[in-house]
């Protein structure tokens, strides 16, 4: 029993877990005068002068990051709120949530994308099954050496699987920062750019609370070899994200993902033959996409 307890405590200690205050994990990236703190809440403001954004103080390899977010209310057409992980440089890796505003009464869309070695163009888009402007919802990214999982309130909405055995690169050697921002993107965000931002409704606010990072914090400066050595499990250290149960979705999660795809997905790059006359290689092999 004591050995099991020791293993459990060890697993806890190897992750940096807890829901914490903003300034323990993050710092403003731009437009500090567009940050509004109201008790435990943080609001980012978008007006016709500027949006705003923040980033994590550290970089991470593997684990889970999550935020609770309430999106822009009312007529949010033209606005984009993003929550994402990204490494640096021209061959960067990136995992994106982009929340695309809409005219009042129309559903909010969430677009996800995955960049590997600087190459993206892997967009999927779905309409959320709730109104994300009325309350806080949890958006999270889970990442290990086998898969990247995007979740909304614990429900997987996308899985990007490691298919290196098929010759397809997988993001597993670059430490990543955690970022969020709000900005004007009315050239493309709403109905393909046909609906523009109505600045008479400004300012627009995205509201945050309960930031969580349960991941392997990487040394600075970040090197691929150093990060890999520190953040991979070994006989001496075991990380929770390397547990066998975390290598793929369980049956319940698989059914949830199938439900999301069947009922809420409105765009999938894998089926866009106009953009991709030849089906992207990972689409041929992914079970869930």
């Amino acid at each position: 029993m004591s050995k099991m307890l020791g293993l459990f405590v060890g697993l806890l200690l190897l992750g940096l877990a807890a829901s914490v205050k903003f300034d323990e994990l993050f710092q403003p990236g731009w437009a500090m005068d567009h940050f509004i703190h109201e008790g435990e809440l943080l609001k980012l403001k978008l007006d016709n002068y500027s949006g705003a954004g923040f980033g994590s103080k550290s970089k991470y390899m593997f684990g889970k990051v999550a935020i609770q977010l309430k999106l822009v209310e009312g007529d949010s057409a033209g606005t984009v709120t993003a929550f994402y992980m990204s490494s640096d440089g021209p061959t960067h890796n990136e995992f994106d949530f982009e929340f695309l505003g809409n005219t009042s009464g129309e559903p909010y869309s969430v677009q996800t994308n995955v960049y590997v070695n600087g190459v993206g163009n892997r967009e999927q888009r779905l309409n959320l099954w709730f109104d994300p402007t009325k309350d806080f919802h949890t958006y999270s990214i889970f990442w290990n050496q086998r898969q990247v999982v995007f979740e909304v309130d614990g429900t997987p909405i996308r899985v990007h699987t490691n298919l290196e055995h098929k010759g397809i690169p997988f993001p597993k050697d670059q430490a990543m920062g955690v970022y969020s921002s709000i900005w004007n993107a009315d050239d493309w965000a709403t109905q393909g750019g046909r609906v523009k931002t109505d600045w008479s409704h400004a300012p627009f606010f995205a509201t945050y609370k309960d930031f969580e990072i349960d991941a392997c914090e990487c040394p600075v400066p970040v090197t691929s070899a150093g990060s890999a050595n520190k953040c991979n499990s070994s006989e001496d250290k075991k990380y929770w994200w390397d547990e066998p149960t975390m290598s793929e979705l369980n049956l319940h999660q698989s059914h949830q993902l199938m439900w999301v795809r069947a009922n809420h997905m409105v765009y999938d790059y894998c089926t866009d033959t106009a953009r991709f006359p030849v089906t992207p290689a990972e689409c041929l092999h992914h079970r869930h996409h």
Side-chain angles (χ1 to χ4, degrees):
M1 179 67 182
S2 61
K3 186 175 182 181
M4 286 297 293
L5 181 61
L7 175 62
F8 177 69
V9 171
L11 285 169
L12 285 178
L13 291 177
L14 284 171
L16 175 64
S19 175
V20 296
K21 296 189 186 308
F22 171 81
D23 55 10
E24 293 180 42
L25 294 175
F26 297 98
Q27 57 194 5
W30 45 291
M32 286 187 64
D33 60 344
H34 282 54
F35 284 68
I36 300 167
H37 293 271
E38 295 180 357
E40 295 183 352
L41 304 182
L42 168 67
K43 292 184 175 183
L44 294 192
K45 180 172 72 171
L46 167 66
D47 56 26
N48 53 0
Y49 298 104
S50 179
F54 61 81
S56 59
K57 295 179 179 179
S58 298
K59 288 189 165 51
Y60 304 90
M61 282 272 287
F62 311 129
K64 187 172 186 175
V65 301
I67 56 168
Q68 288 194 29
L69 174 62
K70 184 163 65 171
L71 293 169
V72 176
E73 292 188 59
D75 183 357
S76 57
T79 71
V80 172
T81 305
F83 169 53
Y84 61 103
M85 299 184 71
S86 182
S87 58
D88 299 326
T91 58
H92 76 292
N93 299 326
E94 186 174 328
F95 314 138
D96 293 339
F97 276 103
E98 292 179 314
F99 303 96
L100 312 181
N102 215 331
T103 51
S104 298
E106 294 296 316
Y108 236 101
S109 294
V110 55
Q111 178 168 287
T112 59
N113 202 353
V114 175
Y115 285 74
V116 184
N117 296 333
V119 179
N121 298 323
R122 297 181 177 91
E123 297 91 348
Q124 292 182 357
R125 191 177 294 187
L126 56 89
N127 290 334
L128 293 168
W129 51 94
F130 52 84
D131 184 344
T133 73
K134 298 302 182 188
D135 205 350
F136 289 92
H137 293 270
T138 301
Y139 305 94
S140 61
I141 300 167
F142 170 76
W143 172 37
N144 65 11
Q145 296 189 63
R146 300 291 297 276
Q147 60 179 354
V148 181
V149 183
F150 296 78
E151 293 185 349
V152 176
D153 290 335
T155 296
I157 64 166
R158 180 175 186 166
V159 175
H160 187 81
T161 305
N162 186 333
L163 296 170
E164 287 180 303
H165 64 287
K166 300 287 187 181
I168 298 168
F170 182 80
K172 66 173 192 178
D173 61 354
Q174 298 182 42
M176 304 173 85
V178 185
Y179 304 91
S180 190
S181 56
I182 184 172
W183 77 95
N184 176 45
D186 65 6
D187 56 332
W188 66 270
T190 305
Q191 299 178 33
R194 289 187 298 274
V195 181
K196 302 300 183 184
T197 303
D198 184 347
W199 293 109
S200 71
H201 295 155
F204 304 100
F205 295 98
T207 308
Y208 301 77
K209 70 173 184 177
D210 290 346
F211 306 89
E212 182 178 336
I213 298 179
D214 188 353
C216 180
E217 187 172 355
C218 291
V220 178
V222 176
T223 64
S224 295
S227 299
N229 290 336
K230 182 178 186 295
C231 297
N232 290 336
S233 292
S234 66
E235 289 187 7
D236 298 326
K237 61 179 188 292
K238 303 290 184 185
Y239 290 109
W240 66 267
W241 50 84
D242 287 330
E243 292 296 296
T245 54
M246 308 305 292
S247 64
E248 61 182 6
L249 299 186
N250 62 36
L251 185 60
H252 176 62
Q253 291 172 316
S254 296
H255 288 162
Q256 288 180 310
L257 179 59
M258 290 169 62
W259 174 81
V260 169
R261 291 180 58 82
N263 294 284
H264 298 283
M265 181 168 283
V266 295
Y267 176 81
D268 183 1
Y269 78 106
C270 284
T271 59
D272 189 342
T273 54
R275 282 179 72 196
F276 303 103
V278 177
T279 303
E282 68 265 21
C283 299
L284 299 173
H285 302 289
H286 267 152
R287 284 176 295 167
H288 307 292
H289 308 308

